Amino acid sequence: MTQPLHGRLHPATPLRRSWAVLIGIATLIYNQRDLFSVGTSGTKDQIDVPWWAACVTVTVVVATVVGLFVVAWRHSHYSLDGNVLGYRSGLLFKVRRQCELDHVQSVDIDQPFLGRLIGICTLEVVMSGTTMTLSYLTLNQARALKARILAEDTGDEQLYRVRATDLLLALLLDVGTNIWCLLLAGFAVLPYALSGELFTLSTLVAFAPKVWALTGKRLFVCSGWSVTRTAEGSYRTDFGLFDTQQCTYRDTRIASVEIHQPFLWRRFDWVEVKVAVAGAPGPGILVPVCPRTVAEKMVLHLLGPDAVSHLHDPIPAPPEARKATPFHKALGYRLGNGYFTAWRGFFLRNVATVAPVGRIQSVSVDQGPWQRRLGLASVYAHMAGGGSVPADHRTAAESADLAARLYRDSMNHAEAKPGRPAGLVNSGR
């Protein structure tokens, strides 16, 4: 029988948490500095404070704040007993949280740069609609908890590691990055070069943060990105240059896999792979950039060999769709062998989403006013935990047939594996 796992947060936790309060107090005192005169005789409107009194006051304030956080830290404990993870904290207001491991969607380890210097990190246990955060733990504590929560052992296999040169070139070829760089050059650098007036550089405030977020920040975050398959079937991503992070996806919780291909990446046949997990707010990045062959390998691992064949030969959109969208050639779908795949996109980015029909919760057929005039409709397969896979701009007869097939296949899977059945919803806009 597995022994219970108990522990306390890292001793540096009260120091790490108290600094924000101390900075707030220091800022408040600094804003009121005109009311005091320390060590010298001030005006009659100022309060004279000797140096020794100022030093004693500062020492008492710091000791009191840190002491309160230390006492709160001593009342904070976590425990992992059987199938239940518990955490209790609080000094005046007690907080107790518990979660069953069966409800855990993913477990992430976040280690900021300063945390790496002293060997601490944050463990985030993600459940449907909520997250339990343990800050701060040692790296060994976090890894031991994560291994027990996900029932991992040491037989890990690294599937892919992003090369630094590929990542750098992919960021430079990103369309959004190029557009914002052109805006920065056109509205800030060029006016300054022509006029020589410094005030023209004020527009940097509007464009520089966005350019930094698309270039330098993404480079730091995605550096050293690797995907590892654990012995129990989960998939772990490790990434970060200064602030290292670790995210784990359970294969049983993956609702769909998305493959994105920006326009400028097509020459190298590079793609970005994302996974949608049940209960997560949105798709998470599995690989920021990789060859398409590697992406198909990821689909093979995540969903099985039948899903890989679904990434080719889609059923194109009907001729009527060209009147509904100029990007009708990018639309398509494929249904069969237990998987539903949809293609969509536009000139700058194409997206292919493949999902098991067993993860479909409901199916809807939407028809807008313009679609109704053209005799078209869109079919949406709503996945477990949120999100949907669309088959846009199909004929009315084809959309009805596709919705019925999706409903039937999802119901057949639900009968084979008991659970919450799917439903069919028809809606119009």
Side-chain angles (χ1 to χ4, degrees):
M1 181 176 180
T2 305
Q3 294 294 327
L5 192 61
H6 301 272
R8 182 179 288 156
L9 303 181
H10 193 275
T13 300
L15 297 177
R16 181 67 176 82
R17 291 179 173 176
S18 61
W19 71 269
V21 177
L22 294 175
I23 289 178
I25 295 175
T27 302
L28 179 63
I29 295 175
Y30 179 78
N31 292 333
Q32 304 297 326
R33 64 187 183 279
D34 294 336
L35 299 178
F36 303 93
S37 176
V38 181
T40 59
S41 298
T43 63
K44 63 179 181 179
D45 296 330
Q46 292 181 318
I47 301 175
D48 296 334
V49 180
W51 277 108
W52 66 268
C55 293
V56 170
T57 302
V58 171
T59 302
V60 170
V61 170
V62 172
T64 301
V65 172
V66 175
L68 290 174
F69 278 96
V70 169
V71 174
W73 164 74
R74 291 186 62 86
H75 287 78
S76 300
H77 299 269
Y78 67 85
S79 62
L80 181 57
D81 190 357
N83 196 43
V84 177
L85 173 65
Y87 175 66
R88 56 188 177 92
S89 63
L91 180 59
L92 299 178
F93 301 95
K94 301 292 185 180
V95 177
R96 292 178 178 270
R97 298 190 62 187
Q98 289 185 336
C99 72
E100 295 185 5
L101 302 188
D102 294 338
H103 297 161
V104 174
Q105 310 290 344
S106 63
V107 182
D108 305 333
I109 296 177
D110 186 6
Q111 192 174 28
F113 178 67
L114 294 178
R116 293 175 64 183
L117 299 180
I118 59 178
I120 63 175
C121 62
T122 298
L123 183 72
E124 295 182 352
V125 182
V126 181
M127 296 160 285
S128 180
T130 184
T131 300
M132 180 184 291
T133 303
L134 301 181
S135 341
Y136 296 87
L137 303 172
T138 65
L139 192 57
N140 290 334
Q141 280 180 308
R143 287 174 175 172
L145 269 174
K146 180 181 176 182
R148 286 281 296 273
I149 292 172
L150 299 178
E152 294 178 340
D153 58 30
T154 58
D156 297 343
E157 175 191 4
Q158 187 176 95
L159 300 179
Y160 186 69
R161 185 177 182 87
V162 178
R163 296 191 302 176
T165 54
D166 291 351
L167 177 62
L168 180 60
L169 184 57
L171 293 178
L172 294 176
L173 292 177
D174 184 77
V175 175
T177 302
N178 285 271
I179 292 176
W180 279 95
C181 287
L182 289 175
L183 292 174
L184 178 66
F187 290 95
V189 179
L190 184 59
Y192 173 73
L194 295 177
S195 64
E197 298 292 339
L198 289 176
F199 78 90
T200 57
L201 293 177
S202 60
T203 52
L204 285 173
V205 178
F207 298 102
K210 185 65 175 181
V211 173
W212 167 253
L214 292 173
T215 55
K217 184 178 180 180
R218 290 172 66 188
L219 181 63
F220 290 153
V221 170
C222 298
S223 292
W225 194 292
S226 64
V227 182
T228 303
R229 184 181 187 273
T230 65
E232 296 300 323
S234 299
Y235 295 86
R236 187 184 72 237
T237 58
D238 300 88
F239 52 93
L241 183 60
F242 297 113
D243 298 348
T244 60
Q245 299 183 50
Q246 189 178 93
C247 300
T248 303
Y249 303 97
R250 279 186 169 179
D251 55 347
T252 56
R253 294 291 184 176
I254 294 176
S256 63
V257 180
E258 298 181 2
I259 298 179
H260 297 239
Q261 186 175 52
F263 173 69
L264 297 179
W265 289 12
R266 296 176 190 175
R267 180 177 179 181
F268 301 95
D269 203 21
W270 286 346
V271 295
E272 178 188 41
V273 183
K274 294 184 176 182
V275 291
V277 180
I285 298 177
L286 184 68
V287 187
V289 57
C290 66
R292 184 175 292 273
T293 54
V294 175
E296 293 183 357
K297 178 183 177 182
M298 295 298 170
V299 174
L300 173 65
H301 280 280
L302 296 172
L303 301 179
D306 291 335
V308 178
S309 61
H310 270 245
L311 297 176
H312 308 280
D313 301 327
I315 300 175
E320 295 85 352
R322 69 182 62 183
K323 298 180 181 179
T325 174
F327 311 111
H328 62 280
K329 292 185 178 180
L331 302 178
Y333 79 91
R334 186 174 177 182
L335 176 62
N337 297 327
Y339 296 95
F340 175 54
T341 306
W343 285 260
R344 65 189 188 279
F346 48 93
F347 177 72
L348 300 179
R349 182 184 292 269
N350 288 331
V351 181
T353 306
V354 55
V357 295
R359 309 286 167 85
I360 296 176
Q361 297 295 298
S362 63
V363 181
S364 65
V365 180
D366 292 359
Q367 188 178 51
W370 185 243
Q371 287 181 313
R372 190 177 300 113
R373 182 180 180 87
L374 298 175
L376 301 175
S378 297
V379 180
Y380 293 88
H382 302 281
M383 309 306 297
S388 61
V389 182
D392 293 324
H393 303 304
R394 319 307 300 189
T395 62
E398 184 182 14
S399 60
D401 178 68
L402 175 60
R405 290 169 58 196
L406 284 171
Y407 174 74
R408 183 175 61 252
D409 291 352
S410 61
M411 289 298 294
N412 290 338
H413 189 277
E415 292 175 357
K417 295 183 178 181
R420 184 178 180 180
L424 181 63
V425 180
N426 293 298
S427 61
R429 289 193 299 267

mmCIF file of all heavy atoms in Angstrom, residues 48-74:
data_model
loop_
_atom_site.group_PDB
_atom_site.id
_atom_site.type_symbol
_atom_site.label_atom_id
_atom_site.label_comp_id
_atom_site.label_asym_id
_atom_site.label_seq_id
_atom_site.Cartn_x
_atom_site.Cartn_y
_atom_site.Cartn_z
ATOM 1 N N ASP A 48 9.763 65.626 14.056
ATOM 2 C CA ASP A 48 11.168 65.230 14.193
ATOM 3 C C ASP A 48 11.248 63.811 14.744
ATOM 4 O O ASP A 48 10.706 63.510 15.817
ATOM 5 C CB ASP A 48 11.908 66.201 15.114
ATOM 6 C CG ASP A 48 11.973 67.613 14.532
ATOM 7 O OD1 ASP A 48 11.919 67.721 13.296
ATOM 8 O OD2 ASP A 48 12.045 68.583 15.308
ATOM 9 N N VAL A 49 11.948 62.952 14.009
ATOM 10 C CA VAL A 49 12.120 61.555 14.411
ATOM 11 C C VAL A 49 13.608 61.255 14.500
ATOM 12 O O VAL A 49 14.326 61.389 13.501
ATOM 13 C CB VAL A 49 11.443 60.598 13.409
ATOM 14 C CG1 VAL A 49 11.634 59.153 13.840
ATOM 15 C CG2 VAL A 49 9.967 60.919 13.262
ATOM 16 N N PRO A 50 14.124 60.860 15.672
ATOM 17 C CA PRO A 50 15.556 60.505 15.781
ATOM 18 C C PRO A 50 15.874 59.272 14.938
ATOM 19 O O PRO A 50 15.009 58.448 14.635
ATOM 20 C CB PRO A 50 15.729 60.237 17.274
ATOM 21 C CG PRO A 50 14.547 60.864 17.944
ATOM 22 C CD PRO A 50 13.432 60.814 16.954
ATOM 23 N N TRP A 51 17.167 59.152 14.611
ATOM 24 C CA TRP A 51 17.598 58.010 13.806
ATOM 25 C C TRP A 51 17.304 56.694 14.511
ATOM 26 O O TRP A 51 16.853 55.744 13.883
ATOM 27 C CB TRP A 51 19.089 58.120 13.497
ATOM 28 C CG TRP A 51 19.400 58.984 12.325
ATOM 29 C CD1 TRP A 51 19.969 60.223 12.322
ATOM 30 C CD2 TRP A 51 19.150 58.666 10.948
ATOM 31 N NE1 TRP A 51 20.095 60.724 11.056
ATOM 32 C CE2 TRP A 51 19.597 59.774 10.182
ATOM 33 C CE3 TRP A 51 18.574 57.593 10.300
ATOM 34 C CZ2 TRP A 51 19.495 59.809 8.796
ATOM 35 C CZ3 TRP A 51 18.474 57.613 8.925
ATOM 36 C CH2 TRP A 51 18.932 58.710 8.183
ATOM 37 N N TRP A 52 17.583 56.650 15.821
ATOM 38 C CA TRP A 52 17.378 55.379 16.527
ATOM 39 C C TRP A 52 15.900 54.979 16.537
ATOM 40 O O TRP A 52 15.570 53.804 16.412
ATOM 41 C CB TRP A 52 17.908 55.476 17.956
ATOM 42 C CG TRP A 52 17.153 56.452 18.831
ATOM 43 C CD1 TRP A 52 17.418 57.766 19.035
ATOM 44 C CD2 TRP A 52 15.978 56.148 19.603
ATOM 45 N NE1 TRP A 52 16.505 58.340 19.885
ATOM 46 C CE2 TRP A 52 15.608 57.356 20.258
ATOM 47 C CE3 TRP A 52 15.218 55.008 19.812
ATOM 48 C CZ2 TRP A 52 14.501 57.446 21.094
ATOM 49 C CZ3 TRP A 52 14.127 55.090 20.650
ATOM 50 C CH2 TRP A 52 13.770 56.291 21.290
ATOM 51 N N ALA A 53 14.999 55.977 16.636
ATOM 52 C CA ALA A 53 13.571 55.673 16.625
ATOM 53 C C ALA A 53 13.132 55.173 15.251
ATOM 54 O O ALA A 53 12.295 54.258 15.138
ATOM 55 C CB ALA A 53 12.766 56.904 17.030
ATOM 56 N N ALA A 54 13.684 55.797 14.189
ATOM 57 C CA ALA A 54 13.344 55.352 12.836
ATOM 58 C C ALA A 54 13.809 53.924 12.589
ATOM 59 O O ALA A 54 13.080 53.105 12.008
ATOM 60 C CB ALA A 54 13.955 56.306 11.820
ATOM 61 N N CYS A 55 15.033 53.608 13.046
ATOM 62 C CA CYS A 55 15.562 52.251 12.855
ATOM 63 C C CYS A 55 14.745 51.226 13.637
ATOM 64 O O CYS A 55 14.449 50.127 13.138
ATOM 65 C CB CYS A 55 17.025 52.199 13.282
ATOM 66 S SG CYS A 55 18.134 53.163 12.232
ATOM 67 N N VAL A 56 14.357 51.579 14.868
ATOM 68 C CA VAL A 56 13.551 50.659 15.677
ATOM 69 C C VAL A 56 12.186 50.428 15.034
ATOM 70 O O VAL A 56 11.685 49.304 14.974
ATOM 71 C CB VAL A 56 13.401 51.207 17.110
ATOM 72 C CG1 VAL A 56 12.363 50.387 17.887
ATOM 73 C CG2 VAL A 56 14.730 51.163 17.838
ATOM 74 N N THR A 57 11.568 51.511 14.514
ATOM 75 C CA THR A 57 10.254 51.383 13.886
ATOM 76 C C THR A 57 10.318 50.478 12.658
ATOM 77 O O THR A 57 9.462 49.606 12.465
ATOM 78 C CB THR A 57 9.733 52.767 13.488
ATOM 79 O OG1 THR A 57 9.664 53.601 14.651
ATOM 80 C CG2 THR A 57 8.356 52.661 12.849
ATOM 81 N N VAL A 58 11.349 50.706 11.831
ATOM 82 C CA VAL A 58 11.491 49.874 10.639
ATOM 83 C C VAL A 58 11.700 48.411 11.025
ATOM 84 O O VAL A 58 11.101 47.495 10.433
ATOM 85 C CB VAL A 58 12.655 50.383 9.766
ATOM 86 C CG1 VAL A 58 12.955 49.395 8.637
ATOM 87 C CG2 VAL A 58 12.323 51.747 9.182
ATOM 88 N N THR A 59 12.534 48.177 12.043
ATOM 89 C CA THR A 59 12.801 46.802 12.468
ATOM 90 C C THR A 59 11.539 46.126 12.989
ATOM 91 O O THR A 59 11.250 44.964 12.669
ATOM 92 C CB THR A 59 13.882 46.792 13.559
ATOM 93 O OG1 THR A 59 15.072 47.406 13.064
ATOM 94 C CG2 THR A 59 14.199 45.371 13.985
ATOM 95 N N VAL A 60 10.754 46.871 13.782
ATOM 96 C CA VAL A 60 9.526 46.304 14.341
ATOM 97 C C VAL A 60 8.518 45.985 13.232
ATOM 98 O O VAL A 60 7.877 44.921 13.219
ATOM 99 C CB VAL A 60 8.913 47.273 15.371
ATOM 100 C CG1 VAL A 60 7.516 46.801 15.783
ATOM 101 C CG2 VAL A 60 9.809 47.370 16.593
ATOM 102 N N VAL A 61 8.374 46.910 12.258
ATOM 103 C CA VAL A 61 7.420 46.683 11.166
ATOM 104 C C VAL A 61 7.821 45.456 10.341
ATOM 105 O O VAL A 61 6.984 44.582 10.039
ATOM 106 C CB VAL A 61 7.316 47.931 10.281
ATOM 107 C CG1 VAL A 61 6.513 47.623 9.011
ATOM 108 C CG2 VAL A 61 6.669 49.083 11.031
ATOM 109 N N VAL A 62 9.103 45.382 9.973
ATOM 110 C CA VAL A 62 9.573 44.249 9.173
ATOM 111 C C VAL A 62 9.412 42.948 9.944
ATOM 112 O O VAL A 62 8.928 41.934 9.409
ATOM 113 C CB VAL A 62 11.034 44.463 8.742
ATOM 114 C CG1 VAL A 62 11.584 43.201 8.067
ATOM 115 C CG2 VAL A 62 11.153 45.652 7.794
ATOM 116 N N ALA A 63 9.801 42.961 11.218
ATOM 117 C CA ALA A 63 9.692 41.740 12.021
ATOM 118 C C ALA A 63 8.238 41.319 12.195
ATOM 119 O O ALA A 63 7.917 40.119 12.166
ATOM 120 C CB ALA A 63 10.350 41.964 13.387
ATOM 121 N N THR A 64 7.335 42.287 12.361
ATOM 122 C CA THR A 64 5.923 41.953 12.546
ATOM 123 C C THR A 64 5.322 41.336 11.284
ATOM 124 O O THR A 64 4.633 40.309 11.344
ATOM 125 C CB THR A 64 5.131 43.205 12.933
ATOM 126 O OG1 THR A 64 5.674 43.760 14.141
ATOM 127 C CG2 THR A 64 3.659 42.876 13.143
ATOM 128 N N VAL A 65 5.598 41.974 10.128
ATOM 129 C CA VAL A 65 5.050 41.456 8.875
ATOM 130 C C VAL A 65 5.598 40.070 8.578
ATOM 131 O O VAL A 65 4.836 39.134 8.274
ATOM 132 C CB VAL A 65 5.352 42.433 7.716
ATOM 133 C CG1 VAL A 65 4.950 41.814 6.383
ATOM 134 C CG2 VAL A 65 4.632 43.754 7.920
ATOM 135 N N VAL A 66 6.925 39.928 8.671
ATOM 136 C CA VAL A 66 7.528 38.622 8.392
ATOM 137 C C VAL A 66 7.061 37.595 9.413
ATOM 138 O O VAL A 66 6.787 36.432 9.073
ATOM 139 C CB VAL A 66 9.059 38.733 8.374
ATOM 140 C CG1 VAL A 66 9.703 37.357 8.207
ATOM 141 C CG2 VAL A 66 9.517 39.650 7.249
ATOM 142 N N GLY A 67 6.936 38.011 10.682
ATOM 143 C CA GLY A 67 6.498 37.078 11.717
ATOM 144 C C GLY A 67 5.100 36.549 11.469
ATOM 145 O O GLY A 67 4.819 35.365 11.670
ATOM 146 N N LEU A 68 4.188 37.424 11.017
ATOM 147 C CA LEU A 68 2.835 36.981 10.707
ATOM 148 C C LEU A 68 2.829 35.953 9.574
ATOM 149 O O LEU A 68 2.101 34.945 9.636
ATOM 150 C CB LEU A 68 1.959 38.176 10.331
ATOM 151 C CG LEU A 68 1.599 39.135 11.474
ATOM 152 C CD1 LEU A 68 0.847 40.337 10.933
ATOM 153 C CD2 LEU A 68 0.769 38.422 12.531
ATOM 154 N N PHE A 69 3.648 36.194 8.557
ATOM 155 C CA PHE A 69 3.712 35.238 7.444
ATOM 156 C C PHE A 69 4.376 33.931 7.883
ATOM 157 O O PHE A 69 4.030 32.864 7.378
ATOM 158 C CB PHE A 69 4.455 35.850 6.263
ATOM 159 C CG PHE A 69 3.604 36.747 5.407
ATOM 160 C CD1 PHE A 69 3.610 38.120 5.599
ATOM 161 C CD2 PHE A 69 2.778 36.219 4.430
ATOM 162 C CE1 PHE A 69 2.821 38.947 4.822
ATOM 163 C CE2 PHE A 69 1.987 37.037 3.643
ATOM 164 C CZ PHE A 69 2.003 38.408 3.845
ATOM 165 N N VAL A 70 5.344 34.016 8.822
ATOM 166 C CA VAL A 70 5.976 32.795 9.320
ATOM 167 C C VAL A 70 4.974 31.952 10.099
ATOM 168 O O VAL A 70 4.908 30.717 9.946
ATOM 169 C CB VAL A 70 7.201 33.150 10.191
ATOM 170 C CG1 VAL A 70 7.699 31.919 10.941
ATOM 171 C CG2 VAL A 70 8.317 33.727 9.343
ATOM 172 N N VAL A 71 4.167 32.624 10.940
ATOM 173 C CA VAL A 71 3.152 31.886 11.694
ATOM 174 C C VAL A 71 2.130 31.252 10.748
ATOM 175 O O VAL A 71 1.716 30.100 10.926
ATOM 176 C CB VAL A 71 2.463 32.824 12.699
ATOM 177 C CG1 VAL A 71 1.315 32.104 13.389
ATOM 178 C CG2 VAL A 71 3.469 33.328 13.726
ATOM 179 N N ALA A 72 1.729 32.015 9.717
ATOM 180 C CA ALA A 72 0.790 31.458 8.736
ATOM 181 C C ALA A 72 1.414 30.280 7.999
ATOM 182 O O ALA A 72 0.723 29.290 7.689
ATOM 183 C CB ALA A 72 0.369 32.540 7.751
ATOM 184 N N TRP A 73 2.710 30.366 7.721
ATOM 185 C CA TRP A 73 3.400 29.269 7.032
ATOM 186 C C TRP A 73 3.413 28.005 7.881
ATOM 187 O O TRP A 73 3.249 26.898 7.374
ATOM 188 C CB TRP A 73 4.818 29.707 6.693
ATOM 189 C CG TRP A 73 5.743 28.582 6.332
ATOM 190 C CD1 TRP A 73 5.764 27.872 5.179
ATOM 191 C CD2 TRP A 73 6.788 28.037 7.161
ATOM 192 N NE1 TRP A 73 6.747 26.919 5.214
ATOM 193 C CE2 TRP A 73 7.398 26.997 6.417
ATOM 194 C CE3 TRP A 73 7.269 28.330 8.431
ATOM 195 C CZ2 TRP A 73 8.450 26.255 6.927
ATOM 196 C CZ3 TRP A 73 8.319 27.592 8.932
ATOM 197 C CH2 TRP A 73 8.905 26.569 8.186
ATOM 198 N N ARG A 74 3.586 28.174 9.191
ATOM 199 C CA ARG A 74 3.626 27.011 10.070
ATOM 200 C C ARG A 74 2.264 26.321 10.161
ATOM 201 O O ARG A 74 2.185 25.166 10.572
ATOM 202 C CB ARG A 74 4.104 27.417 11.467
ATOM 203 C CG ARG A 74 5.561 27.835 11.506
ATOM 204 C CD ARG A 74 6.002 28.083 12.943
ATOM 205 N NE ARG A 74 5.886 26.868 13.743
ATOM 206 C CZ ARG A 74 6.825 25.917 13.839
ATOM 207 N NH1 ARG A 74 7.951 26.038 13.145
ATOM 208 N NH2 ARG A 74 6.643 24.861 14.589
#
